[in-house]
Amino acid sequence: MEIRPILASLRKHRIPAILIVLEIALACAVLCNAVFMISKRVSDIHLPNAIDEQGLVAVTLRGTDDKLVGSDLPRNLAALLGIAGVKQVAVTSSLPLSQNNWGWSFGSSPDSVISDKKNINVSLYFVGAGADQALGLHLLQGRFFNADEFADSKFDTAPLPETHVVVVTQRTAERFWPGQSALGKTLYSMPHYYSVVGVVEDVLRPNINTQNTDKSYEDVFFPMSAAGSKGALGFYLLRGAPQDRDRIMRDAEQKLAELNPAAIAKGTTYLGIRAKYFADMSSMAWMLVLVCAVMLAVTAFGIVGLTSFWVGQRRRQIGIRRAVGATRGHILQYFQTENFLLTSAGVLLGMGLAFGINLYLMQHYEMDRMPWYYLPCGALALWLLGQASVFGPAQKAASVPPVVATRGIG
């Protein structure tokens, strides 16, 4: 296919050609960044979480007396364990994705204090006895807490419990002691220090870090006695079969309300907590999908409209080409090649624009750098869209018989 006649024709229709190139460039820039943002959000929404999400139910009590809540915990837990289908109950200070974050910074050096810039910030989970089984934690190394470690752990005058043992997640262990076993190592935030007795599979923090996924798993578990919790153990956990979780949640609310008439019991499934946390992120992803769909549709209609207009304008040119021997395939190929050239110019400009938009979002909105392969993928999508959009008008032009075309010359 000779490209020179196509270029000469485009020079004659310079303004429409420039407009379609700019439209494709804008579509390419928006498409690349929007698809990258969608994939990032979908990836965040599906972050793995090493607890039994399917069978877990959480119930909170509001309006209890902090001075009595510790002594009420054993009674409430015993009652919850009696609910049909409940396999394990426990209490904890927070849950992954609950947005109830209690953070602290630790170092691996004995002289580390909370204000050290080298320290690593982690989320703290204070857990009662049986929480490992209630959450469905997966122990990778070491052990969970002994009964005496729960009994000796309590809050006094500091915001950290008076205990000296902790369990960390795999990602936390790698961050503090890369390439080493964390067992027996110590976390310091003087005057507090804690020895690692176990490592569990990665559990999400109450709030995830969308800029660095690894930081979303930096948690530390502390044992906590009911009597010394001072109301910090606010989440009752019940683990059962997934098909029983809704009934268990209702029964747990009723049971706690009966035992604590002055308080308000509110239950939810863990899947409900996860869905609530990612609701805005999910809405944003769908909105971006809609933006992409509208952008591609507008681009496709623009190509169809412009090509149809050009076909009408070039009936004389088509007639002459058909009269001198051009086949329908030649006419079809002509318009497809013309669209390919316009789309190529658009995607080249669009890839540069997409890169610039990504840099701007990185600087002003803490976006991640877009991987390079989004650019050729976006270009390929627009090439395919352009060829699909031009096919109808091109086929219409190719179907014009030479006699009819030449009749229009006069």
Side-chain angles (χ1 to χ4, degrees):
M1 171 62 64
E2 281 280 342
I3 296 180
R4 191 173 302 171
I6 297 176
L7 295 176
S9 176
L10 290 176
R11 278 196 292 270
K12 291 181 180 177
H13 302 85
R14 191 170 301 168
I15 293 179
I18 291 174
L19 289 177
I20 200 71
V21 167
L22 292 177
E23 185 179 13
I24 291 171
L26 182 61
C28 182
V30 173
L31 182 67
C32 290
N33 280 282
V35 171
F36 170 59
M37 293 168 71
I38 291 169
S39 65
K40 181 70 173 63
R41 277 156 179 74
V42 170
S43 175
D44 288 343
I45 289 171
H46 292 93
L47 282 174
N49 190 20
I51 62 174
D52 181 15
E53 294 190 350
Q54 298 294 323
L56 195 59
V57 168
V59 184
T60 57
L61 273 178
R62 295 286 181 265
T64 54
D65 187 343
D66 286 349
K67 297 179 181 177
L68 300 176
V69 67
S71 59
D72 290 343
L73 284 178
R75 178 201 62 185
N76 292 342
L77 289 172
L80 294 176
L81 190 58
I83 295 175
V86 174
K87 300 175 182 175
Q88 184 66 42
V89 297
V91 283
T92 180
S93 61
S94 184
L95 280 172
L97 305 178
S98 65
Q99 303 185 58
N100 181 33
N101 186 53
W102 193 325
W104 201 266
S105 70
F106 292 97
S108 55
S109 171
D111 59 352
S112 296
V113 295
I114 188 173
S115 58
D116 282 356
K117 293 182 179 179
K118 294 181 179 178
N119 281 6
I120 299 172
N121 183 269
V122 298
S123 289
L124 313 181
Y125 288 117
F126 307 124
V127 297
D132 56 327
Q133 298 175 45
L135 286 167
L137 297 178
H138 302 161
L139 189 65
L140 300 177
Q141 298 176 44
R143 61 175 176 81
F144 213 67
F145 305 119
N146 297 324
D148 59 330
E149 291 166 338
F150 282 104
D152 293 340
S153 179
K154 62 181 181 180
F155 283 126
D156 193 4
T157 56
L160 291 176
E162 292 184 351
T163 183
H164 294 297
V165 291
V166 292
V167 169
V168 301
T169 59
Q170 189 175 17
R171 216 71 69 98
T172 304
E174 278 295 321
R175 184 83 189 281
F176 278 97
W177 305 284
Q180 305 176 43
S181 171
L183 293 181
K185 300 289 194 306
T186 305
L187 294 174
Y188 298 94
S189 184
M190 297 309 289
H192 306 282
Y193 59 92
Y194 304 94
S195 296
V196 177
V197 297
V199 178
V200 294
E201 199 171 334
D202 289 331
V203 175
L204 287 169
R205 301 175 70 150
N207 291 304
I208 65 170
N209 187 317
T210 56
Q211 305 303 313
N212 187 335
T213 301
D214 286 346
K215 292 185 178 180
S216 299
Y217 294 101
E218 292 175 350
D219 315 312
V220 177
F221 294 85
F222 293 78
M224 178 65 66
S225 66
S229 64
K230 292 186 176 179
L233 301 177
F235 286 85
Y236 287 88
L237 306 180
L238 300 93
R239 186 180 179 192
Q243 63 270 22
D244 295 333
R245 62 178 178 245
D246 291 334
R247 178 187 54 78
I248 289 175
M249 180 186 70
R250 293 191 297 271
D251 290 351
E253 285 179 333
Q254 183 178 357
K255 185 72 70 176
L256 288 177
E258 292 172 357
L259 293 171
N260 306 271
I264 299 174
K266 185 173 178 55
T268 180
T269 64
Y270 186 77
L271 293 182
I273 293 175
R274 185 172 188 122
K276 182 180 180 183
Y277 186 87
F278 289 115
D280 290 343
M281 206 174 285
S282 179
S283 298
M284 176 63 75
W286 280 112
M287 190 183 75
L288 290 172
V289 169
L290 182 62
V291 168
C292 289
V294 170
M295 179 65 72
L296 291 176
V298 169
T299 304
F301 286 133
I303 294 172
V304 170
L306 187 63
T307 308
S308 298
F309 173 74
W310 281 351
V311 168
Q313 292 289 307
R314 298 177 190 175
R315 290 180 63 82
R316 177 186 176 87
Q317 180 185 347
I318 296 169
I320 293 173
R321 288 178 60 84
R322 294 297 308 274
V324 298
T327 65
R328 296 180 58 174
H330 289 146
I331 302 299
L332 188 66
Q333 191 178 10
Y334 175 92
F335 282 99
Q336 287 180 315
T337 303
E338 182 183 75
N339 176 267
F340 179 80
L341 293 174
L342 289 172
T343 305
S344 298
V347 297
L348 284 175
L349 181 61
M351 285 193 288
L353 188 58
F355 182 72
I357 291 175
N358 181 241
L359 285 180
Y360 178 83
L361 293 176
M362 287 173 59
Q363 292 175 356
H364 295 87
Y365 296 97
E366 299 184 348
M367 279 281 297
D368 291 341
R369 181 181 295 279
M370 180 172 59
W372 65 269
Y373 51 79
Y374 278 85
L375 299 178
C377 288
L380 179 62
L382 285 165
W383 269 316
L384 294 175
L385 178 71
Q387 292 298 304
S389 302
V390 81
F391 185 76
Q395 197 173 37
K396 184 179 178 181
S399 66
V400 176
V403 174
V404 176
T406 51
R407 192 180 300 155
I409 294 173

